[in-house]
Amino acid sequence: MQDLCTMVHLCYCLFLVLSPLIELKDSQIIFCTDVVSAMLIRATGQNLRLAYLRSLESLDLVKQIEVSGDIAALIYLCNPFTIVACVGLSTSPIENMAVILCLYGACSRLIPLAAFGWVIATHLSLYPAILIIPVIFLLGCGPDSPPRKLFLQRHQQKEVLNQSKLPPRFSWGPVIHFAFWAFLWSVYVLVLCGISLKQFGGLWEMFKSTYGFILTVEDLSPNIGVLWYFFAEVFEFFRNFFLIVFHVNILFMILPLAIRLRHRPCYLAFVYVAICSMLKSYPSVGDSALYLGLLGWFVNELADMQFSLFLFCGYVGVSLLSPVMHNLWIWRGTGNANFYFATAMVYACLQIVLVVEGVSAMLNHDRKLRNLITGKPQDAKS
Amino acid sequence: MAETKEKSLSDEKPKPRVRPIVRLGIFLISHSFHVSVVCCTAGVLALFLLPVLAKNTYISENALMPGSASPMLSNQHVSDGNRLVKDLTNPNSKSSETGIESHKIIAQYMLDLGAEVSFHKFHPQMNQFHPLHFFSSPDSGKIQENYSCSSYGINTVGIIRAPHGDGKEAIVLVTPYNALKSGFGEALSLGIAYSVFSLLTQVTWLAKDIIWLVADSQYGEYAAVAAWLREYQTPKFSSLSTPNAEMCPDVNNLFELKGHSISGSKFSNSFRRAGTMASALVLKVRDQNEQFEDTISIYAEASNGQMPNLDLINVVNYLAVHRQGLRVNVEKLWSLLNSSWLKSLGEIFESLAKVAKSLYPKWKFGIPATEYVEGTATLASSLYYQALGVPTGPHGAFRDYQVDAITLEISPKFSLDKVWRNDILLRGGRLIEGVIRSVNNLLEKFHQSFFLYLLTSPSKFVSVGVYMIAFALLIAPLPMVAASLYVDANSSSNCSKGDSSTPSAITDTDEHSIAIRSWRWLNSAKLVFIVHLWGAIVSLLPYFISQIPDCSPTTSFMIWVLLSILSLLTLNSVLASPLACAKATQEKEWALVKSVTISSVFIGLGLMSVINFATAEIGALLMVPMCLLAQPLKLDVRAGTLRSFCRMICNLVLGHIAFPPAAFFLLKGMLDGFGNANVGDFWMWVESLWAWNSATYLFIGMVQLPCWVLCISILFHTC
């Protein structure tokens, strides 16, 4: 499954970074990664909160924000999905840490760190490559804030244009800096991989058996995603076509979301991570653990989210039902693949509802801020 | 799908342009009371309609071809079987204390037929507490420390290798036999098995190996079969230091004697195996019988309500009825057979069917009232045994390894003459031969027919697609009512907030209310979570209580109750009673608690319906009305209308009935009479549940009990 391919990766990584003798299974690496991830999430959350407070102040909207990054870190650590992934010695906590490292670096403007996180995350599981867009926004215009238009409106009302209170315009300096570092790190990683893999067929072999493995969905053993079932059923001569369709699916969503949510790069990153974990070829619960943890950053903004109880019950229900269905199919032999696939589909639907509702709640939040500034009544929302 | 429905249900603000599905959801929410009454009634009614909706069984797998070949079992084989019966019932063979003599006789007979023979020694396993065991595959068993040589059993195993087979598949024939106090019935069952076995050594059509297991039933039939299966499927390699059965002098004695007396090379001391088991038949003959004709009873329920493939039952039923002229029985709840209300219900259905038929001749769904009553009694027993999750015979051990197995119990009409004995040997033998021949034809595992079904008679069944409708109707109101309560609680708080706030303070209040509005249910979820955590603790407590030596069931039960109450109070105080502290902020807190409770019950029942349908159905009958009706008594008293008074009475009655021990005693009293009810009985019942790895135990501890506690806390909520 997915672990298999990341295992291959990790062998290279551990080869480079640590000593080749360390085994994942017997060490505390995965546990430590989770703790480090939580700490990074907390630090990033506090960064975000400070930035958001500052921008709200400049809009003269005083708002009590009691919760901070703490809650996101707590959600990440106490999430049963995280615990299961950690206990099951899945490698997804390591991928998650790379993603979080990248976001943390971008939020606190540690450009080399962000570049390192991005390169490693991409190297480990390919999908985080699309995080380059939110990272560029983060570096270019700073962390999440209300839309820029609002600031302009506010200052037009006051009829004093105080430039210092406006959020900064997009600056290309850090982005170029980031690109340089990303290039440097990837060359570094590739060279090291090349050296260590010389006797196993070189870099090309690595690409084929890692990225190729991810992109061609070769392993059809059941997981919580939906692709295994689909590609087990699909006719062989349509296979390539549907491979392209499914992967382009992710790419299609990148641009519209990036345009709509460009003023909230961290939220954009959350949405991307959620979409990836939904559409990736070998999803695991560790991926859900990541985006649910990141969700904690936006508790204030998403307070108005609909269907929260429904989503919560759905997640609980699916995570209990899916092992039972698997048991019924594989062990007891009284069920069949459709039983398990049904839970996988429900799970995918839940994720879709979460993303859709999350994005619409965020847009509603922006709308509400605009209404507060322009002084329109509350009911005019949407 | 329920999820999409609920999704649309919890949409709280009707916008000007609403999609049809949302409009439907809003309609359902606003009429949730009527909808839930209709759905629940329909669910109960559908449950009673199941015997009418039952379909006739049919052989689904073509390869089985039951009865296509004429039986080859002749009088020669019968007289062979008779010889074994005589030798076993001969008083000389019972001289030895451990009954080794009779095992030797059996082994000698097997060897004479040219079969491979081995003995399997086992220690009976103690009852262990492993409630989650139903979920995992059986392990090789812990090697216990204190084995004594005084308690062990010996299974005699004979294997015939198929002349044309590749030795990769096998059919198992099990005859439980207690050498110490065997009745005539057990000897007769061995005789039948032996006559079939002697035939099978000669036939050329055999493609699968035949294993004949004479299970030593002095420690229970199930234990012997389970021990043999465990050894067969998961061999264990114990270290030399642990004492095991091989070291006991008595057993060694047995082998030495064997070595001298038996010259064949086919006897082996080691454990012999054949291929994967295609299916297994357990054969028993009942000793005393008051029936007027030869009947054969089929027991099929394995642990957690798992059933063997329906085709296996079909084959047995077909061969027994159409070839051997035996009457086939499945278990019934006898007390239901004489109930008058069931009879009148059957008559109502019958007359309805007549009316329907007169309206449109093609509608033929009615069955006679007597048949309906019998079908209901069978269905009730089928539900009961599946819900209990305790296997009804040694066949249950096979199902844990995904082998389809049933127990056949032949109850002959009693007489002692030789002709009768030969007759029962011949017919029973031919039945077994026919079944084995059918299974022998199989190319793959049983997979064609149903695994999930309820029997209403030996030749009628209700499949999963039909009985799930009744269950789905019963639990369909749960998400609806949860959504409507949730929406009510949210909108009411919004209104009050909107009224109280002055225009100047609008921003502040709005910000604040928004921060809590959508996530207010978290508080209730916390309470529900704590109660479920408590349920888990309560389910774990018996493990520690059962460690206390010399504890009578009554005291154990008392300790359990005390510890449970204590842990509930502790949890409540440690995690700060959320109901009380939340009350200050919200007046409709109980509605949210009820909403979350109902959601959790819905998840629990849905989960259980997949693990063990019968438990979920019975649980739903108890819990759904209780959950739906629960409302603070104070509100009802304050309202003082007739409706609220009725609801209060219902709540109080349901609050008493749905408490698991109360429900148990009520059921027991209805079946056995209230005279000899004892508090310890509940403990014993629960003990049997966890010892048999029944998921019902977990269901009671982690779904029903928390649900009851939450409903009671809603009833006594101070609002």
Side-chain angles (χ1 to χ4, degrees), chain A residues 303 305 307-308 327 331-332, chain B residues 7 135 306 399 402 518 521:
Chain A
M305 202 166 100
F307 304 147
S308 51
N327 180 272
W331 289 106
R332 289 213 230 162
Chain B
K7 171 191 150 195
F135 199 62
Q306 299 183 74
R399 188 64 235 174
Q402 292 86 47
S518 173
W521 53 269

Side-chain angles (χ1 to χ4, degrees), chain A residues 203-215:
Chain A
L203 277 183
W204 181 242
E205 187 61 34
M206 182 192 89
F207 285 134
K208 218 165 65 183
S209 55
T210 52
Y211 299 143
F213 184 76
I214 293 174
L215 290 178

Side-chain angles (χ1 to χ4, degrees), chain B residues 128-191:
Chain B
Q128 281 168 345
F129 181 83
H130 28 52
L132 259 179
H133 218 258
F134 70 92
F135 199 62
S136 57
S137 56
D139 54 3
S140 56
K142 245 193 304 186
I143 298 164
Q144 284 173 339
E145 296 297 316
N146 305 321
Y147 275 143
S148 64
C149 284
S150 58
S151 69
Y152 65 90
I154 304 168
N155 292 329
T156 315
V157 186
I159 299 176
I160 305 175
R161 303 287 174 189
H164 298 302
D166 53 1
K168 290 198 175 130
E169 284 179 300
I171 303 170
V172 186
L173 185 61
V174 181
T175 46
Y177 178 64
N178 187 351
L180 289 182
K181 44 170 195 220
S182 70
F184 185 65
E186 278 188 343
L188 204 57
S189 72
L190 282 177

Side-chain angles (χ1 to χ4, degrees), chain A residues 1 14 29 180 187 194 204 317 322:
Chain A
M1 285 213 301
L14 293 178
I29 291 180
F180 168 72
V187 166
W204 181 242
S322 141

Side-chain angles (χ1 to χ4, degrees), chain B residues 153-444:
Chain B
I154 304 168
N155 292 329
T156 315
V157 186
I159 299 176
I160 305 175
R161 303 287 174 189
H164 298 302
D166 53 1
K168 290 198 175 130
E169 284 179 300
I171 303 170
V172 186
L173 185 61
V174 181
T175 46
Y177 178 64
N178 187 351
L180 289 182
K181 44 170 195 220
S182 70
F184 185 65
E186 278 188 343
L188 204 57
S189 72
L190 282 177
I192 294 175
Y194 180 72
S195 56
V196 175
F197 206 62
S198 67
L199 166 74
L200 292 177
T201 49
Q202 298 158 7
V203 294
T204 51
W205 45 258
L206 208 58
K208 295 178 167 66
D209 298 345
I210 304 290
I211 306 174
W212 178 20
L213 170 69
V214 181
D216 190 347
S217 60
Q218 53 179 321
Y219 302 108
E221 294 161 356
Y222 184 91
V225 177
W228 178 75
L229 266 174
R230 202 162 38 235
E231 180 76 30
Y232 192 98
Q233 306 276 13
T234 52
K236 60 171 178 244
F237 304 97
S238 58
S239 58
L240 287 173
S241 59
T242 51
N244 52 25
E246 247 101 313
M247 294 191 170
C248 299
D250 211 6
V251 189
N252 286 337
N253 195 18
L254 170 80
F255 286 114
E256 273 164 28
L257 277 174
K258 278 286 156 207
H260 287 302
S261 62
I262 296 168
S263 52
S265 59
K266 297 227 169 177
F267 179 81
S268 77
N269 281 335
S270 60
F271 193 87
R272 294 308 270 279
R273 285 189 178 79
T276 328
M277 297 173 197
S279 85
L281 291 172
V282 182
L283 182 67
K284 293 202 273 189
V285 177
R286 196 182 286 176
D287 268 334
Q288 68 273 27
N289 185 33
E290 58 279 356
Q291 301 275 345
F292 303 109
E293 51 185 333
D294 297 337
T295 57
I296 177 164
S297 312
I298 297 178
Y299 298 92
E301 287 88 0
S303 57
N304 279 308
Q306 299 183 74
M307 299 290 276
N309 197 293
L310 189 56
D311 265 346
L312 187 59
I313 294 178
N314 289 344
V315 169
V316 171
N317 182 46
Y318 178 83
L319 287 174
V321 172
H322 296 282
R323 290 289 180 272
Q324 306 306 327
L326 294 161
R327 213 165 71 95
V328 177
N329 255 341
V330 282
E331 195 79 346
K332 290 188 188 94
L333 273 192
W334 296 101
S335 56
L336 277 183
L337 278 184
N338 300 323
S339 67
S340 52
W341 62 273
L342 209 57
K343 213 169 280 172
S344 50
L345 194 66
E347 276 156 11
I348 292 173
F349 282 141
E350 195 183 350
S351 52
L352 274 181
K354 266 181 198 155
V355 171
K357 200 177 174 185
S358 65
L359 288 177
Y360 186 64
K362 275 190 181 170
W363 283 345
K364 281 185 280 189
F365 54 80
I367 56 171
T370 48
E371 203 177 311
Y372 174 79
V373 173
E374 270 195 31
T376 314
T378 317
L379 183 76
S381 116
S382 199
L383 269 176
Y384 173 72
Y385 284 110
Q386 287 193 17
L388 213 53
V390 176
T392 47
H395 59 269
F398 285 95
R399 188 64 235 174
D400 292 342
Y401 298 92
Q402 292 86 47
V403 179
D404 296 293
I406 51 173
T407 296
L408 304 175
E409 193 177 56
I410 301 174
S411 7
K413 61 173 186 282
F414 194 65
S415 85
L416 268 176
D417 60 348
K418 197 160 183 282
V419 180
W420 161 80
R421 197 202 282 179
N422 278 347
D423 178 54
I424 204 71
L425 276 176
L426 190 69
R427 282 158 78 189
R430 283 187 169 169
L431 171 65
I432 303 291
E433 182 209 337
V435 176
I436 287 182
R437 189 153 192 180
S438 282
V439 176
N440 185 53
N441 289 339
L442 277 184
L443 296 176
E444 355 178 15

Side-chain angles (χ1 to χ4, degrees), chain B residues 50-92:
Chain B
L50 286 185
V52 180
L53 299 174
K55 280 190 286 189
N56 283 326
T57 54
Y58 55 94
I59 310 261
S60 181
E61 171 73 84
N62 281 328
L64 284 170
M65 299 191 289
S68 61
S70 53
M72 294 166 75
L73 192 90
S74 64
N75 284 323
Q76 175 59 37
H77 304 114
V78 169
S79 61
D80 283 352
N82 242 328
R83 210 152 37 85
L84 176 67
V85 175
K86 255 183 228 155
D87 276 358
L88 286 177
T89 45
N90 190 355
N92 290 343

